[in-house]
Amino acid sequence: MQDSISFFTGFGVNDLWFLGEAALKTLWISVLSISIGTLLGTFFGWVLHEGKLAATLTIAPVLDVFRSVPLIIQLVLFYNFAPIIGLNFDPFVSGVVILTFYTAALVANVARGGIEAVPPSMRRASRSLGMSYWQDLFHVVLPIGGRAVFPAWIGVVLGVMKDSALVSVLGYVELLKASQVLITRTQEPLLILAIAGAFYFALSYPISRYAHKFEQRWSK
Amino acid sequence: MIQVRDLHKHFGDLHVLKGINLDVNKGEVLSVIGSSGSGKSTLLYCLNSLEQIQQGSVHVDGIDVHAKSTDVNKLRQKLGMVFQQWNSFPHLTVLENVALAPRIVKGKSKEEAIAMAEKQLKHVGLGDKFKHYPNSLSGGQQQRLAIARALAMEPEYMLFDEATSALDPEKVGEVLDTMRLLAEEGMTMICVTHEMGFAKEVSDRVAYFHHGIMEEIGPPEQIFGAPQSEHTRKFLANVR
């Protein structure tokens, strides 16, 4: 009798670790992109609010492109065409760059909404106390506007975290890519996608819970 | 002393203030009355440079308010302002609302700023509300908070822009009492108001504004007892 070679092996504990590590990579790429993207987006939002005409002619159209073109197309285009201008980024860096700009484009409008949520009369009152423009911005507009748009920002955060799965098309082994690898080997798509889904849920749920707690505390 | 000379203010095509001349002395209480749109509130905004002017000048203690070289943030510390809307900072407690500006604008230590805030809050009768958030206060209490917040900057002048207009009728009294208290303590005050009783009783002088012109100014006995201008007479006949 001839021994047969087994191509497919079942799902094991090691595979769970593999998925766990991939989930951490998803978390890492998301944390990086969301943090930098939020800072950048807040700055863009401020520019949109302050320099209406100049911003409309400069950054607004660029942000519109990032917001309107599907993320997967942005990723593939950037990863494949950046080397032409001498930017040889690996899939991770390419993913972070595109996700950062994508986040910034979404956050810019949220941030602008936050600034506009603070009534002009409130800003007038703080200026009448002798606060400078920047003191008013940091001590009054940021905390008040920030709270007003916090739920919208959390929506962006959760969206970007799930969208980070698209970086898998560049070959970066994050949670979704790891699932695909395991499915190919084990032929158990239902089980593995369910586990991957559970990991995404485990990453997202604490964020929305925490966010909800903050909102409740602020509404008191 | 506040000196206003030939002050003109336009909003686009709208000529809101048409050559105002006015002196307000230290320790004086001036009430500014007139119908809506007569330019009363705009005058206040021009005094602390919240609005730019097109012609004329405003001097506060000799400082040209609208000169390019003037540090308006420093100047505004001299002129406390209370608005129609109280504009409490909703994310801060009552105590923090008052302590914020002394700390970040005047650079006081946290302890000093809090001590000043406590003093001013007790002064306006909010000594038991330190830890509350503004949304748990009534309109009258929030307006008194706004007064304490302005006083914590130790201003030399207080500008009141229809401070009681947005309040429920039963809350008007407590704010007017606080304003009365300040007047008795010798604070220099310019009060844009629709409260004729207050203007009559508390003011040293009353100015009547009509379509961007200061139609008449004089002691309350003159304005309310024997107004010189036909417009003043008509206005007072309507509000009484």
Side-chain angles (χ1 to χ4, degrees), chain A residues 119-133 135-136 139-140 143-144 147 218-220, chain B residues 45 48 50-51 73 76-77 79 81 83 85 87-91 100-101 104-105 133 135 149-150 153:
Chain A
S121 63
M122 178 96 63
R123 303 193 65 178
R124 216 165 219 201
S126 54
R127 295 305 303 275
S128 80
L129 289 166
M131 286 189 210
S132 67
Y133 174 83
Q135 285 172 332
D136 167 51
H139 293 279
V140 177
I144 296 174
R147 282 164 202 215
W218 289 338
S219 68
K220 272 181 193 167
Chain B
Y45 293 143
N48 64 357
L50 282 175
E51 286 292 350
N73 297 327
R76 285 175 187 150
Q77 296 174 35
L79 300 146
M81 188 159 188
F83 298 81
Q85 286 299 332
N87 296 310
S88 328
F89 304 135
H91 62 298
L100 177 66
I104 66 169
V105 177
Y133 279 89
N135 64 4
R149 191 171 64 178
M153 294 302 287

Side-chain angles (χ1 to χ4, degrees), chain A residues 88-122:
Chain A
N88 283 305
F89 292 145
D90 62 23
F92 173 75
V93 176
S94 300
V96 169
V97 169
I98 290 301
L99 276 176
T100 295
F101 277 100
Y102 181 67
T103 309
L106 297 176
V107 169
N109 268 1
V110 172
R112 178 173 58 179
I115 297 172
E116 285 164 7
V118 182
S121 63
M122 178 96 63

Side-chain angles (χ1 to χ4, degrees), chain A residues 27-39:
Chain A
L27 187 64
W28 178 227
I29 202 169
S30 305
V31 166
L32 267 183
S33 319
I34 291 166
S35 314
I36 309 171
T38 297
L39 288 177

Side-chain angles (χ1 to χ4, degrees), chain B residues 222-235:
Chain B
Q222 173 197 322
I223 301 292
F224 294 103
Q228 314 286 303
S229 147
E230 184 59 30
H231 287 131
T232 316
R233 258 197 295 278
K234 271 190 187 159
F235 172 75

